[in-house]
């Protein structure tokens, strides 16, 4: 049996592990090894010289070690562990292994599964240029200082791993997913990687400032915690920041040009070239937006509801929001004319939910969610608050047209909310109908023209007399006193009413009343009330039209 209770697995045909074989027995075992042989030295303690002897016995004609299935589970490597340029043709198992010196796998090739779950690297872990054909598993591994520059992964998983001094992934490539779920990254961490699928840092903790340069189809940062400043420079990605914890400013930027390393080397993005290089944010729910800045982001599918301090969100560059459908849409009884405005994805989801099967089909109609929204659709009153906060963000950035669109959205949601009092909803309905909440100049002008036309027709029909009889006076003389009484007959309307002269008179009355504020003369009792109504309503419509023009053109 192994001396001292050594956990090392026994060498086949012997009663001891490799570390405890005597010289002749060890040499005999090593001499029997050939390139590509399977080895199992789980639990064995390796010195640097013992590992060199083992790998030397497995060298092929090129002078490089080639191993079949390699099992080093629970092994302990003291001193340096040099696996440089080793080819593992089958699985490589290092679960629970401990490396007390440098662990070097420079340009190693893992043709099978590479498993380092629970491994501990107390010094440097060097994987530059290594190739993981069938993926690498590093769950719960602990790294003091890790280098993965130029490594190539088909798939990599670092769940619950810990990088004490940091992790460097300059020019690393992943043809499948790269998963860092609940991983802890210490200082000096840097990312400069390309991934054809998903880079998942959900639940990860970044202890120090970090720059993450990632070209990937998807970047998941759900519940990620940044304890210091961070900059994410992204390409091709769809980003999910739900419930991320930001203790310091974090900037998420869309990068227009291929990413480069600190040394100026361009990352190889060839695997992503068929895709759109723009960056889409799908959610910032649960995020304290006071520390977040988004630059040149596509926000057409972004969910904002549930975020904090949205009025302090930083929006830089060209951030795009979804647009409302345009053109004529039949809604319930009467058709409606929709004009272009910026909206939020949540409003689209709400309107699809309300309209149901009758909603116009995309792309001209309201958009259905691309994926699960992770909960119920926000209520109109919630959306009104979201619009209000984002409106302030756009106002602070001097984006007045965008702020006007969000003001329109806020008013729309207040008008549709059942928590808004009925009287207020009625006022909002009139405000929307006659002027588009003071933002639709054409609607306000049409309303003004319609009101003037209606006033003119009303005056022609009921307000303008066709003849104005002169008043007459009669009197009596009694006891040197004269008593007079004046008879003022009612103004009469008769004959043809809809004539050009009467239209001209009506127009002059309206213009004098609305613009010049002079009262009309010789009107019937009904005409007096018609003119009074026009003096109240039509100046309001004129003011709304001027306000709408100002809101659309100011910067």
């Amino acid at each position: 049996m192994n001396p001292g209770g050594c956990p090392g697995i026994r060498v086949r045909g012997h009663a001891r592990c490799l570390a405890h074989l005597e010289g002749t027995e060890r040499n005999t075992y090593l001499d029997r090894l050939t390139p590509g042989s399977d080895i199992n030295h789980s639990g064995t303690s390796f010195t640097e010289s013992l590992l060199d002897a083992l790998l030397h016995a497995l060298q092929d004609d090129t002078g490089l070690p080639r191993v079949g299935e390699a099992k080093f589970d629970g092994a302990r490597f003291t001193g340096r562990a040099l696996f440089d340029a080793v080819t593992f043709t089958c699985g490589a198992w290092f679960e629970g292994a401990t490396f007390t010196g440098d662990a070097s796998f420079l340009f190693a090739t893992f043709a099978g599964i590479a498993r380092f779950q629970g491994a501990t690297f107390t010094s440097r872990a060097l994987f530059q240029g290594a190739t993981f054909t069938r993926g690498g598993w590093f769950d719960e591994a602990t790294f003091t200082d890790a280098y993965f520059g130029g490594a190539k992964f088909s798939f990599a998983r670092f769940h619950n791993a810990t990088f004490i001094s940091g992790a460097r992934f300059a020019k690393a490539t992943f043809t499948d997913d790269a998963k860092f779920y609940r991983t802890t990254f210490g200082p000096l961490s840097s990312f400069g990687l390309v991934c054809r699928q998903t880079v998942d840092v959900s639940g990860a903790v970044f202890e120090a400032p970090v720059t993450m340069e990632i070209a990937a189809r998807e970047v998941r940062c759900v519940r990620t915690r940044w304890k210091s400043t961070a900059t994410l420079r992204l390409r091709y990605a769809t980003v999910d920041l739900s419930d991320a914890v930001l203790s310091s400013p974090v900037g998420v930027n869309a990068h227009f040009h291929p990413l480069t390393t600190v040394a100026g080397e361009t990352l190889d993005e060839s695997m992503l070239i068929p895709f759109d290089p723009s960056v889409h944010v799908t959610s910032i729910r649960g995020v304290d937006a006071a520390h977040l800045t988004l630059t040149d982001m596509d926000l057409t599918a972004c969910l904002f509801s549930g975020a904090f301090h949205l009025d302090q969100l930083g929006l830089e560059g060209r951030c795009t929001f979804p647009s409302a459908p345009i053109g004529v849409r039949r809604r319930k009884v009467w058709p409606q004319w929709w004009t272009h405005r910026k909206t939020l994805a949540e409003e689209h989801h709400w309107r699809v939910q309300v309209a149901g099967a009758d909603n116009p089909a995309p792309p001209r109609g309201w958009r259905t969610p691309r994926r699960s929204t992770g909960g119920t659709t926000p209520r109109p009153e919630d959306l009104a608050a979201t619009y209000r906060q984002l409106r302030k963000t756009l106002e602070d950035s001097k984006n007045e047209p965008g702020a006007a669109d969000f003001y329109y959205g806020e008013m729309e949601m207040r008008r549709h909310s059942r928590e808004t009092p009925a009287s207020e909803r009625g006022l909002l309905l009139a405000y929307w109908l006659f002027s588009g909440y003071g933002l639709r100049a054409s609607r306000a002008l049409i309303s003004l023209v319609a009101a003037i036309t209606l006033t003119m027709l009303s005056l022609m029909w009921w307000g303008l007399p066709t003849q104005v009889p002169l008043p007459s006076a009669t009197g009596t003389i009694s006891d040197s006193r004269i008593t007079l009484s004046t008879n003022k007959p009612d103004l009469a309307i008769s004959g043809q009413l809809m004539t050009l002269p009467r239209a001209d008179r009506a127009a002059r009355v309206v213009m004098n009343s609305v613009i010049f504020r002079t009262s009309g003369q010789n009107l019937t009792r009904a005409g007096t009330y018609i003119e009074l109504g026009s003096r109240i309503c039509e100046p309001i419509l004129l003011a709304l039209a001027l306000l709408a023009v100002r809101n659309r053109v100011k910067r």
Side-chain angles (χ1 to χ4, degrees):
M1 61 182 298
N2 289 335
C6 173
I9 193 168
R10 299 175 182 179
V11 175
R12 183 178 299 178
H14 299 275
R16 292 186 173 95
C17 70
L18 180 60
H20 289 98
L21 285 182
E22 297 180 355
T24 302
E25 293 177 322
R26 180 184 297 176
N27 292 336
T28 301
Y29 166 72
L30 295 176
D31 289 340
R32 290 202 303 265
L33 295 178
T34 58
S37 295
D38 295 339
I39 56 176
N40 186 351
H41 296 294
S42 299
T44 303
S45 294
F46 282 90
T47 61
E48 184 175 341
S49 59
L50 177 59
L51 179 60
D52 288 344
L54 174 63
L55 296 178
H56 181 78
L58 295 167
Q59 289 180 354
D60 57 17
D61 294 338
T62 64
L64 299 176
R66 181 162 53 88
V67 189
E69 185 175 62
K71 292 187 176 181
F72 293 95
D73 294 340
R76 182 179 180 84
F77 298 88
T78 58
R80 295 186 303 170
L82 303 179
F83 289 90
D84 296 343
V86 174
T87 298
F88 299 89
T89 60
C90 296
W93 305 77
F94 289 86
E95 294 187 20
T98 300
F99 299 84
T100 60
D102 287 350
S104 182
F105 292 84
L106 300 177
F107 299 98
T109 299
F110 298 87
I113 296 174
R115 294 188 177 273
F116 289 84
Q117 290 102 318
T120 300
F121 300 84
T122 60
S123 187
R124 296 184 301 173
L126 308 175
F127 288 89
Q128 288 103 317
T131 300
F132 297 81
T133 303
R134 295 186 60 187
W137 275 258
F138 296 86
D139 301 350
E140 300 183 5
T142 300
F143 299 87
T144 299
D145 209 348
Y147 297 81
F148 289 87
K152 297 178 175 61
F153 296 85
S154 62
F155 169 88
R157 198 171 76 180
F158 293 82
H159 289 187
N160 293 294
T162 301
F163 296 90
I164 296 175
S165 294
R168 297 166 179 82
F169 287 89
K171 297 187 69 175
T173 59
F174 302 80
T175 56
D176 205 325
D177 296 337
K179 298 187 175 181
F180 299 88
Y181 180 69
R182 298 184 66 179
T183 297
T184 300
F185 295 91
L188 305 179
S189 294
S190 62
F191 288 76
L193 56 87
V194 178
C195 178
R196 185 176 174 83
Q197 299 298 334
T198 301
V199 176
D200 191 348
V201 292
S202 296
V205 178
F206 292 87
E207 302 281 355
V210 63
T211 297
M212 304 175 68
E213 296 185 312
I214 301 174
R217 296 288 291 129
E218 183 177 4
V219 177
R220 289 181 54 81
C221 302
V222 179
R223 298 183 183 276
T224 303
R225 180 187 296 269
W226 282 280
K227 293 186 176 181
S228 187
T229 57
T231 300
L232 280 67
R233 300 192 183 106
L234 308 176
R235 283 171 58 79
Y236 300 96
T238 297
V239 188
D240 187 351
L241 294 165
S242 300
D243 299 312
V245 179
L246 316 180
S247 301
S248 296
V250 173
V252 184
N253 309 326
H255 214 270
F256 294 112
H257 305 289
L259 299 173
T260 58
T261 64
V262 176
E265 300 175 291
T266 301
L267 300 185
D268 182 8
E269 301 177 359
S270 57
M271 67 175 70
L272 294 169
I273 285 178
F275 304 110
D276 179 10
S278 62
V279 180
H280 306 253
V281 178
T282 60
S283 175
I284 62 169
R285 285 183 166 182
V287 176
D288 186 348
H291 295 298
L292 180 62
T293 300
L294 304 176
T295 305
D296 298 317
M297 292 289 118
D298 186 326
L299 304 174
T300 55
C302 186
L303 303 179
F304 291 90
S305 299
F308 307 99
H309 301 129
L310 276 175
D311 57 330
Q312 301 177 46
L313 173 66
L315 295 175
E316 303 290 342
R318 185 175 180 271
C319 292
T320 57
F321 292 88
S323 298
I326 60 175
V328 178
R329 294 289 187 277
R330 186 174 183 81
R331 181 68 173 166
K332 296 181 180 179
V333 179
W334 58 83
Q336 294 181 0
W337 178 267
W338 295 90
T339 56
H340 174 81
R341 67 178 172 93
K342 294 179 180 179
T343 60
L344 297 180
E346 286 103 328
E347 182 181 347
H348 284 253
H349 304 166
W350 175 80
R351 290 188 181 274
V352 168
Q353 181 186 58
V354 171
D358 297 330
N359 186 63
R364 295 191 64 199
W366 299 98
R367 303 181 182 185
T368 57
R370 294 182 181 178
R371 62 182 69 186
S372 172
T373 58
T376 59
T377 302
R379 300 172 301 172
E381 50 270 23
D382 299 326
L383 286 175
T386 302
Y387 269 120
R388 182 163 51 252
Q389 293 182 75
L390 288 173
R391 172 170 60 86
K392 184 179 183 302
T393 293
L394 296 178
E395 288 173 345
D396 291 343
S397 62
K398 306 304 180 183
N399 184 353
E400 296 293 347
D405 284 344
F406 279 13
Y407 173 76
Y408 192 104
E410 177 189 349
M411 294 295 102
E412 277 285 275
M413 294 300 100
R414 287 179 57 191
R415 180 168 68 89
H416 287 290
S417 173
R418 294 302 175 188
E419 293 191 1
T420 303
S423 58
E424 184 178 339
R425 289 206 306 272
L427 290 174
L428 289 172
L429 177 61
Y431 193 23
W432 164 78
L433 182 62
F434 293 115
S435 67
Y437 307 115
L439 295 172
R440 298 294 182 259
S442 59
R443 189 180 305 180
L445 290 172
I446 291 172
S447 300
L448 177 60
V449 171
I452 291 175
T453 303
L454 180 61
T455 302
M456 289 176 58
L457 292 175
S458 299
L459 287 174
M460 292 170 66
W461 195 266
W462 296 293
L464 295 177
T466 54
Q467 55 184 345
V468 182
L470 296 176
S472 60
T474 60
T476 60
I477 299 176
S478 174
D479 298 331
S480 300
R481 295 177 62 187
I482 300 176
T483 302
L484 296 176
S485 61
T486 302
N487 179 27
K488 188 176 182 179
D490 292 335
L491 301 178
I493 300 177
S494 62
Q496 290 187 349
L497 303 181
M498 300 299 169
T499 62
L500 287 178
R502 289 178 63 80
D504 177 66
R505 288 178 59 193
R508 284 186 282 112
V509 169
V510 172
M511 293 300 105
N512 285 332
S513 175
V514 175
I515 299 177
F516 302 107
R517 311 300 291 171
T518 59
S519 177
Q521 301 295 324
N522 297 325
L523 299 178
T524 65
R525 183 185 298 260
T528 302
Y529 286 110
I530 292 171
E531 185 203 24
L532 180 61
S534 70
R535 289 169 65 90
I536 296 174
C537 298
E538 290 165 15
I540 294 176
L541 294 175
L542 179 60
L544 289 175
L546 296 176
L547 176 64
V549 172
R550 177 182 179 274
N551 286 334
R552 301 311 300 179
V553 301
K554 71 176 182 178
R555 291 293 185 268

